[in-house]
Amino acid sequence: MQWEYFTLPANPEPYDIFVESEYSLISIGTEIALYNGTHIGFSLTKPPFPMMPQRPGYALVGSVSKVGEKVERLKPGMHVMVEAPHGSAAIIDSRTEKIIPLPEQSNLAAFTLVRMADIALTSLRVAPIQFGDDVLIYGMGLVGILAAQLYQLNGAHHVIGIDLLAKRLEIAENFGIIPLNPIQSIILDQVNQLTNNRGFDVIVEATGNPKAIPEVLDLVSKGGRVVLLGSTRGRVEIDVYSYIHRKGVQLIGAHESVIQLETQPVKRWSKKRDLALLVDLFKKEKLQTDGLISHIISYDELPDMYQKLSNNPQEYLGVLIDWK
């Protein structure tokens, strides 16, 4: 990894805004998988993302410094969240849906998590629940914990979070999520006790670990749904007859891009509207963030941090770059 330097133009193009960065969030999942080459997309004939080298990062908050002459509603001094690579500044086209104004006097560091909550919300959009359904979230990283909270807000009865790391389970429990460590617990007994032997109505796989797929298919109820929210980093061999066909299980892909598909049942919620909703939930503290940001680093620590995250991802949860 190396720094790239550029000079901002004196004035933005008519529809552009200049954003002065304050914080950006490193995605421990996708970003690090791209960095160390473990993302399965690298093995595809037509990779779904730019190959290396590339500019990493897609969750940045900062203040608008300049606006183009045709920009509406956005003014210098406003705080915004944008999907932009890590950097001390960003140039954003205001005609996209990826510029979200933030509340004044807000905790800007916490609002970087809105981007991860938007990814988590995909699971709820493709697999909405009925009041009282039981939900299991496999993986208590940022996306998993935020998905669990969103299902709580949507009326789930039991929301269980599975993870191997005690610290993540402790944070999840603080949010009312029932923690479950598969090493310390006999999962099937716990599941049967909580769900009266039915299994879970919805299970969200948020780890990306291919070994988890057969496990979640075993735990889902007959007629239940399994949501693949994490980008599975490898190939999976499963008994389709036993796990899917005979049980009547729906296996649902939940990459965030699927929200734009015409086949999705929810049409009223655009990405822009989803993001505005999430900002409001963060503002009103209906989505909790305490403990989710585990590390804040200065920008000069960034190159070393990528290697640390690649070697020991379990030591981190939310990692922010402080550009101030």
Side-chain angles (χ1 to χ4, degrees):
M1 173 176 285
Q2 63 184 29
W3 289 110
E4 182 179 29
Y5 297 90
F6 62 92
T7 301
L8 288 175
N11 295 296
E13 294 294 320
Y15 288 100
D16 287 351
I17 67 169
F18 292 171
V19 178
E20 185 177 341
S21 305
E22 298 202 25
Y23 296 97
S24 60
L25 174 72
I26 300 175
S27 166
I28 296 178
T30 298
E31 270 187 64
I32 301 306
L34 294 176
Y35 170 77
N36 60 28
T38 60
H39 198 296
I40 194 170
F42 284 113
S43 66
L44 302 179
T45 304
K46 295 182 179 179
F49 41 72
M51 300 298 281
M52 302 296 278
Q54 62 168 273
R55 299 182 180 96
Y58 51 78
L60 184 148
V61 296
S63 58
V64 178
S65 57
K66 291 184 179 182
V67 301
E69 59 185 18
K70 294 187 177 181
V71 174
E72 299 177 356
R73 295 185 297 277
L74 297 169
K75 307 294 182 185
M78 292 178 64
H79 288 125
V80 293
M81 188 204 75
V82 296
E83 291 186 29
H86 302 301
S88 58
I91 302 175
I92 306 293
D93 188 334
S94 66
R95 291 168 292 186
T96 73
E97 293 190 340
K98 300 177 182 179
I99 303 174
I100 302 300
L102 299 177
E104 292 303 315
Q105 300 178 336
S106 60
N107 179 0
L108 291 183
F111 275 93
T112 57
L113 298 172
V114 171
R115 180 69 184 89
M116 308 312 287
D118 184 42
I119 295 171
L121 182 57
T122 308
S123 60
L124 200 65
R125 290 289 183 235
V126 301
I129 62 171
Q130 295 186 35
F131 182 76
D133 279 348
D134 292 321
V135 178
L136 172 67
I137 312 291
Y138 231 72
M140 290 287 96
L142 288 180
V143 171
I145 287 178
L146 291 166
Q149 291 190 64
L150 288 167
Y151 274 105
Q152 286 175 321
L153 290 173
N154 205 49
H157 184 203
H158 296 113
V159 178
I160 293 85
I162 283 186
D163 206 283
L164 296 172
L165 301 178
K167 180 61 177 177
R168 292 187 179 185
L169 291 175
E170 179 183 332
I171 293 171
E173 190 172 18
N174 290 337
F175 300 147
I177 302 163
I178 300 171
L180 192 58
N181 187 319
I183 292 180
Q184 300 172 353
S185 307
I186 301 174
I187 297 179
L188 195 56
D189 288 348
Q190 293 269 13
V191 168
N192 288 337
Q193 183 179 354
L194 287 167
T195 66
N196 292 322
N197 298 312
R198 291 185 304 103
F200 290 96
D201 301 289
V202 172
I203 298 183
V204 178
E205 202 300 295
T207 69
N209 185 346
K211 294 181 180 179
I213 307 300
E215 295 178 16
V216 298
L217 287 169
D218 190 35
L219 297 175
V220 71
S221 66
K222 290 183 178 180
R225 290 164 291 167
V226 169
V227 181
L228 303 182
L229 183 60
S231 296
T232 309
R233 316 217 190 280
R235 303 193 182 279
V236 181
E237 182 176 335
I238 56 176
D239 178 355
V240 173
Y241 172 75
S242 300
Y243 286 142
I244 300 175
H245 179 65
R246 189 168 176 80
K247 290 176 68 174
V249 168
Q250 297 179 51
L251 188 60
I252 305 171
H255 188 276
E256 61 177 325
S257 62
V258 305
I259 294 299
Q260 308 301 323
L261 297 178
E262 287 299 317
T263 53
Q264 292 304 316
V266 179
K267 297 293 190 300
R268 296 183 299 112
W269 288 91
S270 65
K271 184 178 182 67
K272 185 175 182 178
R273 190 178 175 195
D274 274 344
L275 287 167
L277 168 66
L278 292 169
V279 166
D280 195 54
L281 292 176
F282 274 86
K283 176 184 176 182
K284 295 176 179 176
E285 297 185 348
K286 292 185 177 181
L287 279 175
Q288 299 290 314
T289 63
D290 290 345
L292 295 187
I293 297 172
S294 61
H295 297 76
I296 299 179
I297 65 171
S298 61
Y299 62 87
D300 56 344
E301 298 176 79
L302 182 55
D304 289 339
M305 178 54 70
Y306 269 82
Q307 194 57 47
K308 291 177 181 178
L309 289 170
S310 184
N311 293 337
N312 298 294
Q314 69 277 3
E315 300 295 327
Y316 305 87
L317 188 55
V319 180
L320 293 188
I321 306 160
D322 185 342
W323 294 98
K324 303 187 302 299

